[in-house]
Amino acid sequence: MEMNTRDSAEEAMRIVRAAEGEGAMLRLIGGFAIRFHCHGPHSIHLRAYHDIDLFGLRKESKKIFSVFDKLGYSPNVRYNTIYGETRLQFIEQHSGKHVDVFLDKFRMQHTLDFRKRLRLDNLTIPITDLLLTKLQNVKLAAKDVKDIVAILEDHEIGHIDDREVLNANYMAELCSSDWGLYKTITDNLSKIIKFIQEETFDARDKKELTGKLETIHESLKTKNKRIRWKLRSLIGDRIKWYEDVETGDWEV
């Protein structure tokens, strides 16, 4: 038996609130998290998400185990033994549904550290970080592009952390010391602009979405770069600038 989308949404909120009661922070991550922030015409595909993926702190692992135990989940012992330093998995006893919990850092093609960001939203990781988890994909999937468009449609570009604002300064700061992340994100911004121009968006949507992407790109480009970034840029793409991730490692 599988939870439907509405049940999954209720269950996700139940888990996050239960964690608060245990003195732990859990926040939604991935496509399912995006659906809590996006409600425009381009976000209709988000209703299809069922998986619950969460982000938490490694130092709170014991509390996280306690939360899921009280909610009727069993730990995936083998999985947690292998990956427990960076990721945990729990199984709902009645439905067999898996819930993944990422710990401390988001490690995919690039590594993003969310430990100091979790208090900026009370249900999901911040919307800016949700956007970054999509933009850091070296090989953008169709669903990633759709998620990015949905986020851009419903959120303005700003320069401070706010629950429903995309913080261009924060993105530029991260990219100013990491040439690899900068390359992947700027490459993807260009790809998405091209996608929007070629697809059947109406003229107003094309102008608005493209403008937001260009604003982000300009912020990343004009930000003063660190010495580390400059040194790595001299090597360029002659050496791989991202980590390989096996297909299926993060299906959200």
Side-chain angles (χ1 to χ4, degrees):
M1 185 175 98
E2 184 176 290
M3 287 183 265
N4 62 36
T5 304
R6 177 176 294 181
D7 291 340
S8 294
E10 293 171 354
E11 182 66 1
M13 290 187 283
R14 185 172 80 108
I15 294 170
V16 172
R17 302 306 174 228
E20 290 177 358
E22 290 288 321
M25 280 193 295
L26 287 176
R27 297 292 185 265
L28 282 165
I29 190 170
F32 196 68
I34 294 170
R35 73 181 294 272
F36 283 93
H37 290 272
C38 300
H39 310 284
H42 295 298
S43 64
I44 191 168
H45 71 286
L46 294 169
R47 297 174 189 172
Y49 282 103
H50 299 284
D51 292 337
I52 299 173
D53 294 276
L54 297 152
F55 192 91
L57 301 175
R58 181 182 167 192
K59 66 181 181 180
E60 295 178 352
S61 290
K62 288 184 178 179
K63 293 179 180 179
I64 293 171
F65 273 91
S66 177
V67 169
F68 282 99
D69 179 60
K70 291 179 179 178
L71 292 176
Y73 287 77
S74 299
N76 184 335
V77 177
R78 183 175 181 276
Y79 185 97
N80 294 342
T81 300
I82 297 171
Y83 301 109
E85 294 294 307
T86 59
R87 190 166 169 178
L88 299 171
Q89 188 175 89
F90 300 90
I91 303 170
E92 210 281 323
Q93 294 170 7
H94 297 293
S95 67
K97 187 77 171 176
H98 291 186
V99 175
D100 286 319
V101 181
F102 295 82
L103 299 174
D104 285 356
K105 296 179 181 180
F106 176 84
R107 297 175 176 87
M108 287 293 152
Q109 280 91 355
H110 299 278
T111 297
L112 301 169
D113 189 341
F114 298 146
R115 286 175 291 181
K116 297 180 180 179
R117 307 273 301 165
L118 298 189
R119 294 190 184 279
L120 297 175
D121 194 291
N122 60 8
L123 182 61
T124 73
I125 65 168
I127 191 64
T128 307
D129 295 293
L130 286 171
L131 178 62
L132 286 171
T133 64
K134 297 295 178 177
L135 287 172
Q136 67 82 44
N137 282 306
V138 174
K139 296 180 180 179
L140 279 179
K143 66 176 183 178
D144 297 319
V145 175
K146 289 180 180 180
D147 288 347
I148 291 166
V149 170
I151 291 172
L152 291 169
E153 177 187 37
D154 281 347
H155 298 86
E156 296 302 320
I157 309 299
H159 303 286
I160 60 171
D161 283 319
D162 184 276
R163 190 175 185 275
E164 298 296 344
V165 172
L166 297 169
N167 187 347
N169 280 354
Y170 167 65
M171 289 187 273
E173 181 63 30
L174 288 182
C175 289
S176 70
S177 59
D178 187 336
W179 180 86
L181 183 63
Y182 172 89
K183 174 173 173 51
T184 297
I185 290 180
T186 52
D187 283 353
N188 283 337
L189 292 171
S190 297
K191 290 176 186 175
I192 299 165
I193 288 173
K194 183 178 179 182
F195 168 80
I196 290 169
Q197 293 301 322
E198 293 177 350
E199 292 298 310
T200 56
F201 292 90
D202 64 40
R204 181 177 178 180
D205 281 350
K206 283 186 178 182
K207 181 178 180 181
E208 181 178 346
L209 294 169
T210 299
K212 290 178 179 180
L213 289 162
E214 290 174 342
T215 297
I216 295 171
H217 191 282
E218 186 67 15
S219 293
L220 270 56
K221 186 174 69 173
T222 58
K223 179 73 175 179
N224 289 334
K225 307 301 188 292
R226 308 283 179 86
I227 293 296
R228 174 180 160 191
W229 187 100
K230 294 177 180 178
L231 292 173
R232 179 61 183 85
S233 71
L234 297 175
I235 301 171
D237 59 9
R238 295 193 298 274
I239 294 178
K240 189 169 62 178
W241 64 95
Y242 59 91
E243 297 296 323
D244 287 319
V245 177
E246 293 181 15
T247 302
D249 272 4
W250 194 54
E251 293 294 341
V252 293

